[in-house]
Amino acid sequence: MAAIADIPHGKVTEVFSTSLSCGSLFYPEGTFTADGSVLVVQSAYRLPPRLAALS
């Protein structure tokens, strides 16, 4: 799940959620881009890690 936390107003807005594996031991976090997308590293047992843009 990716969300934006508005601490002064006590609000959290969910931007994206998935049941797929995102992040790993080496790349656990995502990062937001200027257009609001989220970049994450997806990894799987039989596949190499890959960069995914989620919007």
Side-chain angles (χ1 to χ4, degrees):
M1 182 184 125
I4 298 173
D6 182 357
I7 303 301
H9 295 101
K11 286 178 54 178
V12 175
T13 304
E14 184 178 311
V15 176
F16 183 83
S17 66
T18 181
S19 60
L20 299 174
S21 175
C22 293
S24 67
L25 178 63
F26 301 107
Y27 306 103
E29 70 282 336
T31 188
F32 285 93
T33 63
D35 69 355
S37 298
V38 180
L39 297 177
V40 297
V41 175
Q42 288 185 314
S43 59
Y45 183 73
R46 296 176 189 259
L47 299 173
R50 67 179 181 170
L51 186 61
L54 313 170
S55 56

